[in-house]
Amino acid sequence: MESEIFGSVHWNLGRLIQGSKLSKNKIAMQANIQRAQLTRYCNKPIQRIDLEVLARLCFTLNCSVADLLEYQPPECSEQENEA
């Protein structure tokens, strides 16, 4: 699996929403996305995200892209295997 080789990216939207003072309805309205889409982003792993949606979520939640997305390096890198 590629994530074992390259690591993975984790989506922190649910955590940020819980820490905000805004409801999911308010966030969806302000970010101009459907409430169902926001719920999917919170509850299911995402494969792709539109950069405009990402920008609108950052604006609405007053956060950076780094707050929403977190890179997790692989547990054992390819270089360590070769050593």
Side-chain angles (χ1 to χ4, degrees):
M1 180 173 244
E2 286 189 5
S3 64
E4 293 171 356
I5 297 171
F6 299 110
S8 59
V9 175
H10 296 276
W11 182 243
N12 296 320
L13 180 61
R15 185 177 51 96
L16 288 172
I17 289 174
Q18 287 178 349
S20 78
K21 296 177 181 177
L22 300 172
S23 69
K24 285 185 181 178
N25 287 333
K26 189 91 164 173
I27 292 168
M29 186 172 55
Q30 289 182 5
N32 194 28
I33 62 174
Q34 293 182 3
R35 172 68 160 77
Q37 181 181 12
L38 182 64
T39 298
R40 278 193 309 273
Y41 285 160
C42 291
N43 298 330
K44 296 184 179 179
I46 60 169
Q47 298 298 316
R48 297 179 184 157
I49 185 162
D50 185 302
L51 292 178
E52 278 190 37
V53 171
L54 186 60
R56 292 193 306 255
L57 287 169
C58 286
F59 179 82
T60 300
L61 294 168
N62 192 29
C63 68
S64 70
V65 172
D67 295 326
L68 280 172
L69 302 173
E70 178 183 351
Y71 171 69
Q72 290 282 200
E75 289 183 22
C76 181
S77 72
E78 179 101 6
Q79 293 173 343
E80 292 174 358
N81 287 336
E82 293 175 1

